[in-house]
Amino acid sequence: MPSETEKSTSAPSDELDDARVDESDQEKSDGIALPSHVAGSGSLDRLVDTARDYARAAASDNTLKAYAKDWAHFARWCRVRGVEPLPPSPEMIGLYLADLASGSGPSPSQSTFGPQSASRPLSVSTIDRRLSGLAWNYAQRGFTLDRKNRHIATVLAGIKRKHARPQVQKEAILAEDILAMVASLPFDLRGLRDRAILLLGYAGGLRRSEIVSLDVHKDDTPDSGGWIEIFDKGALLTLNAKTGWREVEIGRGSKDQTCPVHALEQWLHFAKIDFGPIFVGTSRDG
């Protein structure tokens, strides 16, 4: 019988082991290498490194982190139940999806010793994301996960039919709504920043992630999502969007109070920002 100390520490230890194994697997699963029959050389090895960099850039850092967690969770789930995650088994993945949806089984984060409590059921969107994460991880390890296999597809279809919630259509924000928001802001540093964010985001139709990742100049920061150039007639935003780089032109407004370019200039001037991220946090006293 395991001691009380072993009981209390087995789960965290297993989670650490999962993390280490996952990191090791990730290092081995770049999938980009020279063919076995081709001898390496300095130029070819450099091209392999370049190709690996491009392969890593195929998904965002947040997506890769989420996929790594998905794999660690599934690997732990398999080990608790005495099965191996490799090679892919559509039957076991179907059972895994059913467990995620129902919350009927013990949580994989718990110790294998002692009483087990049911895990929390996950939403359909999270389950779908978990499945995408598994498919990506299997591909990096040289396997193909057939999501159309009946053991996976029919279970997922049933989960969506039984648990999916109808999508709530958000009401679009109109120009008068933005003006009302801007009018409520004070003229301290935080107010100047929020005014620039609202007006710039609305005028350019920008995502939140695009707004917060803007830099003053090109290549100011390694993880820059874009930069902005200000001209007499307006501003040009160069953005690293999901589908690649794109440019957004924003003209000056007829009134300074509602002009996105003027609001941006005011924020940059009074916040004394001339390098790096455009929008940063402010303290209570400015």
Side-chain angles (χ1 to χ4, degrees):
M1 290 292 290
S3 67
E4 290 299 320
T5 303
E6 289 173 329
K7 290 180 182 180
S8 62
T9 60
S10 59
S13 175
D14 285 340
E15 290 171 2
L16 287 174
D17 290 341
D18 289 342
R20 295 190 190 102
V21 169
D22 183 69
E23 289 175 0
S24 176
D25 286 346
Q26 201 65 46
E27 290 174 0
K28 296 176 182 177
S29 63
D30 284 325
I32 308 295
L34 288 173
S36 58
H37 63 277
V38 175
S41 66
S43 60
L44 286 177
D45 290 341
R46 284 192 295 273
L47 283 176
V48 169
D49 291 337
T50 302
R52 285 175 177 170
D53 289 339
Y54 281 128
R56 294 187 190 101
S60 69
D61 289 341
N62 287 338
T63 300
L64 294 177
K65 289 177 183 177
Y67 284 171
K69 290 181 180 178
D70 292 340
W71 180 258
H73 186 275
F74 176 66
R76 169 69 176 152
W77 184 90
C78 288
R79 278 193 282 273
V80 166
R81 288 154 183 82
V83 297
E84 291 296 325
L86 293 173
S89 165
E91 294 86 352
M92 290 307 301
I93 292 174
L95 296 180
Y96 175 65
L97 299 180
D99 195 4
L100 295 179
S102 64
S104 57
S107 171
S109 64
Q110 293 176 334
S111 167
T112 54
F113 304 106
Q116 305 283 313
S117 60
S119 57
R120 179 176 60 86
L122 300 183
S123 66
V124 172
S125 60
T126 301
I127 293 172
D128 217 4
R129 208 290 315 286
R130 288 272 177 93
L131 183 57
S132 297
L134 293 184
W136 186 90
N137 275 284
Y138 275 123
Q140 303 313 301
R141 290 161 173 79
F143 297 96
T144 299
L145 176 61
D146 182 11
R147 296 183 55 160
K148 294 182 180 180
N149 183 285
R150 63 186 181 88
H151 294 285
I152 298 175
T154 55
V155 171
L156 186 60
I159 291 172
K160 291 181 177 180
R161 183 181 179 88
K162 189 172 183 179
H163 298 292
R165 299 175 182 175
Q167 219 172 15
V168 178
Q169 185 66 40
K170 300 295 183 181
E171 192 173 342
I173 292 179
L174 304 177
E176 51 263 33
D177 299 321
I178 290 291
L179 295 179
M181 294 178 193
V182 170
S184 68
L185 295 173
F187 285 90
D188 56 8
L189 267 184
R190 184 173 295 183
L192 291 176
R193 181 202 62 190
D194 293 350
R195 184 176 283 101
I197 288 175
L198 286 172
L199 292 174
L200 198 69
Y202 185 77
L206 308 179
R207 297 183 178 91
R208 290 172 296 179
S209 58
E210 293 174 333
I211 296 173
V212 300
S213 63
L214 278 172
D215 280 353
V216 178
H217 308 106
K218 181 181 179 181
D219 298 328
D220 276 359
T221 56
D223 57 350
S224 171
W227 66 93
I228 190 165
E229 299 170 84
I230 300 177
F231 305 100
D232 291 338
K233 293 185 178 181
L236 176 66
L237 279 64
T238 305
L239 303 167
N240 188 8
K242 289 185 176 181
T243 55
W245 289 95
R246 68 186 179 100
E247 293 183 342
V248 176
E249 296 181 356
I250 297 179
R252 291 184 182 271
S254 57
K255 298 179 181 178
D256 285 348
Q257 294 88 337
T258 57
C259 173
V261 182
H262 178 76
L264 178 62
E265 290 174 324
Q266 291 287 292
W267 159 247
L268 293 176
H269 172 72
F270 287 104
K272 296 183 173 65
I273 294 176
D274 57 8
F275 183 86
I278 288 179
F279 296 112
V280 297
T282 61
S283 60
R284 290 184 179 181
D285 58 1

